Amino acid sequence: MNSRKALFYLLYVIVIFSLSLWLPRIFGPSSPVPTVANSAAKEASAPAAKAKAVQSKRMQSVQPAASRRIDETVAGLLQRKGLTQERLVTDQEFLRRLYLDLAGRIPTHDEAVAFLDDSSADKRSALIDTLLASPAYVSHTYNFWADLLRAAPIRGDAGNYPAWIKDSIEQNKPYDQMARELLTAEGRLLDDGAVGYWVRDGGRILETAAMTAQVFLGTQLQCAQCHDHKFDKWKQKDFYQFAAFFGEVDTRGGLNMLADRNERKKLRELQEELSPQENAAIRRFLNEITLNVHTAERKSLRYPKDYAYANAKPNSKAVPEVIFGTMPLLSQYDNHREAFAAWLTDRNNPRFATVMANRIWKRLMGIAIHEPIDDFKDKSEAIDDALLAQLGRDFTTIGYDMREFTRILCNTRAYQSAVSASAITPRNYYAQARPLRRMRAEQLWDSCMTLLSDDVDERKLANRRQGAEMMAAMPDLSEMSAEKILESVRDTMKAKRSMMMEANRTMRKRRTKGNNGPFVARASEMRPGGGRDDGFLQAFGQSEREVINGSSIEPSIPQVLALMNGKLSSTLTQAKMPLMKTLLACSSSELADRLFVTLLSRRPTADERKLVRTEYANGGREGLQNLVWAILNSREFLFIQ
Amino acid sequence: MNITKASDLDRREFLTGMAQACLGVGLFSSFSAQAADHGGKAKRVIYLYMAGGMSHLDTLDPKQDKEVAGEFAPMRTSITGERISDRLPLLARQLQHAAIIRSMTSKEGSHERGSYFMRTSYPMLGTIQHPGLGAWALKLSGKNSETLPGNINIGARNPIGAGFFEPEFEPLRISRAEAGLSNISPPPHVDEGTFEHRMQLLRTLNTKFDSRFESRQVDGYAQAYEDAVKLMKSSELKAFDIAREPKNLRERYGKNNFGQGCLLARRLVEHGIKFVEVTFGGWDTHTDNFERLEKQLQQLDAGLGTLLDDLHRRRMLEDTLVVLVSEFGRTPEINDGNGRGHHPKAFSCMLAGGGVQGGQVYGATDSRGATVAEKVVSVKDLNATIAHAVGIDPAHELYSKSGRPFTIANGGKPVLALF
């Protein structure tokens, strides 16, 4: 089109775009609209109905417009399916659920009381905002990302990849920016944690390509890595053309960055003079500080030597080509990965926003609008296409702000529906109710940690980031002589060692006093399979981050044995631990409340008060210990309503 | 139909069932208990995994070339004309029970990928977790015991699990043989009475919840608690207690994790457990190969040698398959640190019992042990051989949730000459 038309079109787009951003803010949430919530409330008994109506009105008066619109779509969907929305959750249910969903742990006793006793109309929205801004949110959301990206400290590196992820969450970096930074990362892992995305699979770009398709596009390309896909439309050629965008990626040659060939040879000779152990340690250190990714322009991906199809020659160069949408003009970008990132994060890319919006929905609601979350096909399998599209649009409109999107979802009536008595599975889910789910391994561990300490969100492990900073702060070795390099390396290793030892000393002091209690830190601060938790997290299904989203919430006997007989529960019931100490200091009238609010975030029923009274009367301190043990092992503790 | 979680039954499950039915791979496809070629004799497996890349040149395939051999020398064995490292004297006298394979080969040279490949027959991918051999064996040929788990791992921090199979096929981990099963009894200050009382309290607390919700997961946990308590009270638990073994036998196996692990493995399979793996690390001898192997081989010799003898005396060798394997071998070249690097191109492993003909050596490497000279056996072929011994058809397909077919050996062919 000619330049004048283009200008008008541009102006038109800018006006519409601005309006869509500013209008909601100017006019605010609209007045109450008859919804399913209102009509359901009328059906209940009078006082309960009044309470429900008040709650619903409260909800609507502070509800963001986007949340209301989602509820409208859901209401329409339910009506078409002949379903009714489950009742609104009580404050107690909301409190525990929200803390687990946003903070990744149960609330402390005081946090719980503060919410339950608060009478302000907008307390639910306020709690959503508070939790989204908390360090607990960063810890909890880190687990989500680490599972998705399979982020683990790489080959002994000081955990820079996890650190980058945590920083990004803390800064509320928009999703598209995160994606771009990961995909186009360049340089040393020490200087840029996003490099971890490429180093994770040791530069095997076919694997990173398969992962990229699954993570960012929810598309299963990997079957086509070895042959034309059996069920889906992808051909092996499609896979190779997709992966070809990453053909220039090179993670090798790190040691070459270190110094020129002569100095490297001299360095090796110097190393040989040291003890074998120190030599090995230095070699590991050098490997770690040179972990990197860079663009090698002359490198490219080739079809396999045994490529069997007629549409390309074996061992020939694979040319980058997008699997849908418009192919970017490669010459306009610094390298192919930049072109790919631009294509991926383009606002018109139908899958980019939707896939993540769908993931976040699942994370909060329990089941996604499109299941499975990683297998989007041309023919949609969403429970409602309109809802899915709306979520994608909303997410895009707010600039891929994940916190804001979470806020919008938590403020919906759909999110605040109770768990239904009958089983909800992907086959009968239409957002009518929350599915009953067990806590994830990290949520369970973190909840136990909450019971064991007063400052669970502040506890960090020996500062791995500090180690990385030390190594990154080393002088530029490439100009140095071999002797100087060796000296610099040994100095840094020594400094790092004493820093870690000091940090470990501090950590040990913080360990639950007295016995060999569990290590008190949140799951996000520990390496999966690292053993600091005596295998608790692994037993309860934490992902080892070898596979995308490899976690599980299925039952197993070792889990049950750990919870019944393991160190965690015996430490929790110890008389000198904060939990028991506080309970034992209670008067008999406060005891039941304290116990139930601390462990289950709710007040006890009359029967439960009786049970506590009897148990304490009969067993004293041991009686209380029995109760704590029993509640910890109870279904209500383990499952999220 | 491969029924996994009810909540995930969907189009793919249906497809899976259809695929199985239509493509002729039914649930009861040909795994016969006793094949004519002596397959299917192994009712149980003891899988000894040497983690780190065990040097084949310093163990089962020693070379005369002094430059390659380094500090060890070959010694005679109970197989006429065959020699193994002189640091394995006890094993050398037990080789009439065993078959050594010297022609193993692999393309995976890193520990992570190499051990994953060895244990699952598939290359490591970020998009799916494959089941390990133990999970396959358990899934396809069933448990032998009511209360005891069928798949156990002794010694590994993060053993290969059940992958996309159901969680019941996950291996039960025992970190140290002497410690037995973790968390199997309440802490010392909780006596039986207190434990029963606690369980009663728990039941009271759970009643309302369990009746309120219809949930497969809740039922699953109710069942898991029942099974755990049953296990705690099981008379079969004594299988895990190696203190019951005679003192001198314990000493013969060697008072170290591996030796005691072998002893525990024998006890466990005796009590009906199908697949026990003992992981023994420390084989990654990039430096000081000979110094470190002295100690390693002494432990390996005592443990494995005694195990074979013990199984033989108890007449258990006929139906117990013993596997000795590592992810790859080590280089003929000895480096400046007096060590050897990774070498997947050619390496050795050993099979004994379970229908495998003892007293044989299969395949060979060149004079330096660098490449396979005859009768190549790939990792997939080895796993197919193990499957064959256990009576599992290596071609038997099971489907992941996405409908993809997988087999225990990923296309490998069993080495029938070994039987």
Side-chain angles (χ1 to χ4, degrees):
Chain A
M1 55 174 94
N2 64 34
S3 52
R4 200 135 141 261
K5 254 196 191 156
L7 194 62
F8 275 124
Y9 183 78
L10 189 64
L11 274 170
Y12 175 74
V13 167
I14 290 174
V15 168
I16 297 297
F17 185 73
S18 315
L19 280 178
S20 71
L21 276 185
W22 290 109
L23 273 177
R25 295 193 196 184
I26 295 170
F27 291 108
S30 59
S31 49
V33 161
T35 64
V36 177
N38 275 343
S39 42
K42 285 195 194 116
E43 286 159 22
S45 66
K50 188 157 187 263
K52 276 188 188 152
V54 167
Q55 278 175 326
S56 303
K57 277 206 157 52
R58 263 193 222 154
M59 169 165 228
Q60 286 154 28
S61 67
V62 298
Q63 199 183 31
S67 311
R68 184 185 39 79
R69 283 194 306 267
I70 290 172
D71 283 333
E72 281 164 10
T73 312
V74 168
L77 173 62
L78 293 181
Q79 195 176 49
R80 286 197 304 278
K81 297 289 175 184
L83 296 166
T84 42
Q85 187 95 65
E86 196 69 27
R87 65 168 172 86
L88 190 69
V89 281
T90 63
D91 270 355
Q92 290 178 147
E93 289 165 339
F94 178 80
L95 166 71
R96 189 171 198 258
R97 180 198 288 189
L98 193 75
Y99 263 86
L100 284 167
D101 283 350
L102 295 186
R105 60 169 177 80
I106 53 175
T108 63
H109 172 272
D110 294 348
E111 284 169 341
V113 168
F115 179 78
L116 291 173
D117 291 352
D118 183 356
S119 56
S120 41
D122 63 347
K123 70 174 179 179
R124 290 191 184 192
S125 287
L127 185 60
I128 292 169
D129 289 343
T130 306
L131 291 181
L132 284 174
S134 69
Y137 172 77
V138 178
S139 166
H140 178 55
T141 310
Y142 169 75
N143 295 326
F144 167 76
W145 276 102
D147 277 6
L148 186 59
L149 297 177
R150 301 153 59 228
I154 295 163
R155 276 202 269 140
D157 80 292
N160 232 12
Y161 192 22
W164 179 90
I165 296 173
K166 285 176 187 162
D167 285 345
S168 302
I169 298 167
E170 203 164 13
Q171 297 157 15
N172 196 23
K173 197 180 282 179
Y175 173 58
D176 61 334
Q177 192 182 335
M178 277 182 81
R180 267 195 303 274
E181 286 181 16
L182 286 168
L183 287 163
T184 60
E186 188 104 8
R188 294 193 309 170
L189 177 60
L190 275 186
D191 299 321
D192 182 3
V195 168
Y197 188 75
W198 295 98
V199 180
R200 173 68 179 85
D201 287 314
R204 285 184 301 277
I205 57 169
L206 293 181
E207 284 173 43
T208 312
M211 174 166 146
T212 305
Q214 185 169 337
V215 169
F216 294 112
L217 293 169
T219 306
Q220 301 281 320
L221 277 187
Q222 66 274 15
C223 287
Q225 189 172 332
C226 305
H227 50 65
D228 287 355
H229 204 299
K230 302 285 187 203
F231 307 136
D232 207 348
K233 68 180 192 185
W234 307 116
K235 305 270 179 254
Q236 193 177 8
K237 184 171 185 187
D238 295 323
F239 181 86
Y240 271 81
Q241 289 185 317
F242 181 84
F245 276 102
F246 311 135
E248 300 163 319
V249 164
D250 200 343
T251 59
R252 298 165 309 173
L255 287 171
N256 297 349
M257 289 178 187
L258 213 54
D260 70 41
R261 182 176 278 170
N262 290 329
E263 294 307 317
R264 288 206 311 274
K265 185 152 177 274
K266 272 193 237 158
L267 180 62
R268 268 200 302 278
E269 285 161 15
L270 286 173
Q271 279 177 252
E272 298 305 323
E273 288 167 23
L274 303 167
S275 72
Q277 289 93 319
E278 203 185 347
N279 188 357
I282 290 179
R283 234 177 317 132
R284 276 196 300 272
F285 184 88
L286 289 173
N287 278 330
E288 201 177 313
I289 62 172
T290 54
L291 276 173
N292 79 96
V293 68
H294 56 276
T295 306
E297 272 167 38
R298 264 175 290 159
K299 200 163 172 267
S300 66
L301 180 65
R302 285 178 180 276
Y303 286 95
K305 296 199 181 94
D306 56 356
Y307 188 74
Y309 303 102
N311 49 22
K313 268 175 55 186
N315 208 30
S316 63
K317 280 197 196 161
V319 175
E321 182 58 60
V322 293
I323 50 175
F324 54 74
T326 317
M327 175 70 188
L329 200 51
L330 292 177
S331 54
Q332 284 190 341
Y333 298 92
D334 284 340
N335 58 54
H336 295 344
R337 288 187 289 148
E338 301 265 352
F340 179 83
W343 168 81
L344 179 74
T345 60
D346 188 299
R347 280 178 175 238
N348 295 315
N349 184 328
R351 282 200 191 162
F352 183 65
T354 331
V355 166
M356 179 50 88
N358 191 49
R359 288 188 195 282
I360 297 177
W361 178 282
K362 177 170 184 140
R363 184 99 170 147
L364 295 168
M365 309 282 187
I367 297 179
I369 301 298
H370 182 290
E371 287 275 0
I373 54 176
D374 280 344
D375 200 357
F376 282 70
K377 295 196 165 60
D378 284 349
K379 184 159 180 290
S380 170
E381 289 170 329
I383 59 177
D384 188 42
D385 290 338
L387 179 55
L388 186 62
Q390 184 176 346
L391 294 177
R393 272 196 313 273
D394 284 351
F395 190 44
T396 311
T397 307
I398 59 176
Y400 305 100
D401 180 337
M402 290 176 283
R403 246 185 245 199
E404 178 61 20
F405 190 70
T406 304
R407 182 177 160 264
I408 291 172
L409 290 184
C410 289
N411 275 292
T412 59
R413 175 66 175 77
Y415 175 75
Q416 297 190 25
S417 302
V419 173
S420 77
S422 56
I424 302 279
T425 70
R427 279 154 126 209
N428 62 1
Y429 174 74
Y430 295 100
Q432 73 272 37
R434 167 115 169 182
L436 184 67
R437 284 274 189 275
R438 195 205 83 185
M439 281 198 227
R440 302 169 64 89
E442 294 97 338
Q443 287 168 315
L444 180 58
W445 174 264
D446 288 354
S447 296
C448 292
M449 292 302 107
T450 308
L451 295 170
L452 281 174
S453 76
D454 296 319
D455 58 349
V456 69
D457 297 329
E458 267 76 61
R459 290 181 175 227
K460 302 270 183 277
L461 269 196
N463 198 336
R464 297 193 168 274
R465 192 184 309 217
Q466 233 180 308
E469 281 163 10
M470 269 188 190
M471 295 195 287
M474 284 177 74
D476 182 6
L477 302 175
S478 55
E479 299 297 312
M480 291 184 178
S481 67
E483 291 84 3
K484 277 266 175 264
I485 292 177
L486 189 60
E487 192 188 317
S488 185
V489 164
R490 288 169 103 190
D491 283 345
T492 310
M493 281 171 73
K494 194 159 152 221
K496 191 173 160 221
R497 228 187 343 260
S498 31
M499 185 273 298
M500 296 292 273
M501 270 166 54
E502 183 52 47
N504 281 336
R505 254 198 296 273
T506 318
M507 255 299 125
R508 264 199 298 278
K509 274 198 229 139
R510 282 174 165 180
R511 272 178 89 121
T512 50
K513 295 199 187 78
N515 76 345
N516 232 359
F519 191 88
V520 183
R522 293 192 65 162
S524 59
E525 303 310 299
M526 305 192 293
R527 191 208 301 226
R532 286 184 190 269
D533 59 335
D534 291 322
F536 185 90
L537 284 159
Q538 205 167 27
F540 274 91
Q542 182 188 42
S543 171
E544 277 158 35
R545 287 148 198 181
E546 292 297 339
V547 177
I548 299 172
N549 288 337
S551 69
S552 148
I553 50 174
E554 293 295 305
S556 81
I557 292 176
Q559 283 172 20
V560 169
L561 289 175
L563 208 47
M564 289 198 302
N565 302 326
K567 261 189 223 165
L568 197 53
S569 57
S570 63
T571 306
L572 273 166
T573 54
Q574 269 196 322
K576 47 188 164 177
M577 284 298 125
L579 174 63
M580 285 303 301
K581 261 183 150 152
T582 319
L583 286 172
L584 288 167
C586 283
S587 68
S588 52
S589 55
E590 299 168 331
L591 194 51
D593 276 67
R594 187 92 206 180
L595 183 62
F596 274 77
V597 170
T598 309
L599 285 169
L600 293 174
S601 310
R602 66 168 174 84
R603 303 218 150 93
T605 62
D607 279 344
E608 286 161 351
R609 282 182 207 280
K610 199 155 142 229
L611 182 66
V612 174
R613 256 200 314 275
T614 316
E615 191 64 26
Y616 187 50
N618 291 344
R621 185 180 74 195
E622 274 174 38
L624 272 187
Q625 288 171 323
N626 294 340
L627 280 170
V628 169
W629 182 94
I631 296 177
L632 184 68
N633 276 274
S634 70
R635 232 75 82 201
E636 191 182 337
F637 189 83
L638 209 52
F639 280 77
I640 309 178
Q641 289 178 66
Chain B
M1 174 112 151
N2 180 21
I3 300 194
T4 55
K5 318 184 224 312
S7 62
D8 294 334
L9 279 175
D10 58 6
R11 185 183 73 83
R12 254 148 231 95
E13 283 291 319
F14 177 71
L15 200 66
T16 300
M18 287 304 290
Q20 276 182 307
C22 301
L23 299 177
V25 187
L27 184 59
F28 299 108
S29 88
S30 57
F31 50 106
S32 51
Q34 296 270 335
D37 45 13
H38 304 287
K41 284 231 179 103
K43 291 205 189 72
R44 42 195 108 81
V45 181
I46 297 181
Y47 189 91
L48 304 175
Y49 190 74
M50 308 294 109
M54 179 179 79
S55 163
H56 56 301
L57 303 161
D58 302 307
T59 54
L60 302 173
D61 193 9
K63 298 297 176 188
Q64 295 288 7
D65 182 343
K66 270 279 181 300
E67 227 181 76
V68 171
E71 290 171 33
F72 296 168
M75 75 179 282
R76 273 195 255 238
T77 70
S78 54
I79 306 176
T80 325
E82 289 297 344
R83 285 165 165 65
I84 63 173
S85 164
D86 62 356
R87 298 308 198 259
L88 298 170
L90 191 54
L91 182 62
R93 293 201 295 276
Q94 300 290 335
L95 287 184
Q96 65 276 22
H97 304 303
I100 298 177
I101 302 173
R102 288 188 171 145
S103 48
M104 292 294 303
T105 190
S106 164
K107 290 205 180 75
E108 299 288 355
S110 83
H111 296 297
E112 224 186 1
R113 296 182 63 81
S115 59
Y116 186 91
F117 184 48
M118 178 58 74
R119 317 293 295 300
T120 65
S121 312
Y122 287 85
M124 210 172 178
L125 294 172
T127 45
I128 189 165
Q129 191 87 22
H130 303 93
L133 285 176
W136 274 101
L138 189 58
K139 187 162 173 81
L140 287 182
S141 53
K143 275 174 83 162
N144 295 337
S145 153
E146 257 304 309
T147 50
L148 294 182
N151 183 6
I152 308 241
N153 180 293
I154 305 170
R157 245 307 180 63
N158 299 305
I160 301 287
F164 59 80
F165 287 162
E166 297 79 358
E168 69 204 69
F169 300 105
E170 281 287 332
L172 192 63
R173 260 176 232 109
I174 297 178
S175 52
R176 274 179 42 245
E178 276 146 324
L181 271 181
S182 9
N183 301 326
I184 195 64
S185 24
H189 62 272
V190 176
D191 61 31
E192 211 182 309
T194 310
F195 184 79
E196 284 309 322
H197 179 68
R198 286 181 169 188
M199 288 306 294
Q200 184 50 47
L201 272 177
L202 182 58
R203 270 188 286 270
T204 310
L205 288 172
N206 278 338
T207 313
K208 209 161 92 176
F209 189 98
D210 286 356
S211 63
R212 270 176 70 199
F213 299 108
E214 171 203 301
S215 158
R216 198 194 45 87
Q217 261 210 326
V218 168
D219 293 344
Y221 271 92
Q223 187 65 48
Y225 268 86
E226 251 181 70
D227 290 343
V229 173
K230 235 194 265 173
L231 183 62
M232 282 171 70
K233 302 189 170 149
S234 168
S235 56
E236 294 183 278
L237 266 190
K238 54 183 177 335
F240 290 89
D241 187 7
I242 55 175
R244 290 169 182 259
E245 291 289 326
K247 193 150 165 266
N248 60 346
L249 184 61
R250 290 188 63 183
E251 274 162 24
R252 275 177 57 207
Y253 269 94
K255 285 297 198 125
N256 52 73
N257 279 344
F258 175 69
Q260 298 300 298
C262 286
L263 173 54
L264 179 57
R266 193 222 77 213
R267 268 186 84 78
L268 292 177
V269 300
E270 229 174 350
H271 281 82
I273 293 179
K274 170 126 279 168
F275 190 98
V276 181
E277 176 182 329
V278 186
T279 306
F280 183 18
W283 294 94
D284 194 22
T285 49
H286 284 282
T287 55
D288 299 307
N289 181 69
F290 303 99
E291 193 182 309
R292 290 160 67 180
L293 284 185
E294 282 274 7
K295 190 150 166 261
Q296 295 281 112
L297 291 177
Q298 191 254 324
Q299 294 186 5
L300 176 62
D301 194 44
L304 177 55
T306 310
L307 177 67
L308 288 177
D309 187 45
D310 201 3
L311 287 170
H312 170 67
R313 283 171 200 274
R314 288 168 201 265
R315 301 198 201 291
M316 284 171 68
L317 259 190
E318 287 102 51
D319 50 12
T320 307
L321 177 70
V322 179
V323 182
L324 175 76
V325 77
S326 189
E327 60 257 38
F328 38 70
R330 301 202 85 85
T331 56
E333 294 81 27
I334 301 173
N335 63 33
D336 296 334
N338 210 24
R340 302 189 194 268
H342 298 179
H343 194 76
K345 232 173 168 185
F347 59 105
S348 309
C349 73
M350 198 187 83
L351 297 176
V356 170
Q357 279 293 331
Q360 62 170 315
V361 170
Y362 186 87
T365 52
D366 64 358
S367 63
R368 301 185 71 245
T371 55
V372 172
E374 55 177 71
K375 300 193 193 153
V376 158
V377 176
S378 72
V379 169
K380 297 177 188 177
D381 295 332
L382 175 67
N383 290 344
T385 311
I386 294 172
H388 182 81
V390 178
I392 293 172
D393 177 3
H396 184 103
E397 287 180 334
L398 287 178
Y399 293 79
S400 71
K401 276 210 285 285
S402 59
R404 287 177 68 188
F406 292 93
T407 60
I408 189 172
N410 193 11
K413 299 272 173 295
V415 182
L416 296 175
L418 288 171
F419 292 90

